[in-house]
Amino acid sequence: QVYLVESGGGLVQFGGSLTLVCTASDRNVKFDNMGWHRQAPGKRRESVANMSRGGMRNYADSVKGRFTISRDNALNTVSLEMNNLNPEDTGIYFCYADRWAPESQYWGQGTQVTVSP
């Protein structure tokens, strides 16, 4: 069983920055896509950013230009650098990792990000 553990969440003021890091418990597993979702209070979980093993990145429109996703395939980590944060970014951020063969998906337990006005 592979576990994903997030770190780096917290409370930040409007316009501030945070970096989230997600680490997989097994460095030997080769993940295809890794990324981040978030869930704001009372809202559905939404995709924030993802990155393929080969380096292709995708971002939600709401975070383009402010968030940067990166990953280290050797260490099996995925990071999310978040700049110019606003209260709409508040929520629980979950990292995930996909394997295509065998098909499987793993999720972290989530880390809280709170942006004060």
Side-chain angles (χ1 to χ4, degrees), residues 7-42:
S7 61
L11 173 65
V12 65
Q13 289 187 331
F14 184 96
S17 299
L18 282 174
T19 297
L20 307 181
V21 180
C22 174
T23 303
S25 58
D26 188 344
R27 289 187 182 183
N28 295 318
V29 174
K30 288 180 168 54
F31 296 114
D32 295 292
N33 282 333
M34 299 184 79
W36 296 87
H37 283 214
R38 69 185 179 190
Q39 187 164 18

Side-chain angles (χ1 to χ4, degrees), residues 1-6 22-29 31 34 74-77 95 97 106-107:
Q1 181 69 20
V2 178
Y3 300 95
L4 302 180
V5 179
E6 302 103 333
C22 174
T23 303
S25 58
D26 188 344
R27 289 187 182 183
N28 295 318
V29 174
F31 296 114
M34 299 184 79
L75 297 179
N76 256 350
T77 62
C95 77
Y106 307 91
W107 287 89

Side-chain angles (χ1 to χ4, degrees), residues 40-73:
K43 295 187 177 180
R44 296 175 62 180
R45 190 177 294 193
E46 62 175 353
S47 176
V48 176
N50 62 73
M51 185 171 177
S52 71
R53 189 172 185 81
M56 290 187 64
R57 295 173 169 88
N58 292 292
Y59 296 96
D61 287 343
S62 60
V63 307
K64 284 180 181 176
R66 300 188 298 121
F67 291 12
T68 301
I69 188 170
S70 60
R71 61 185 283 183
D72 186 319
N73 292 331

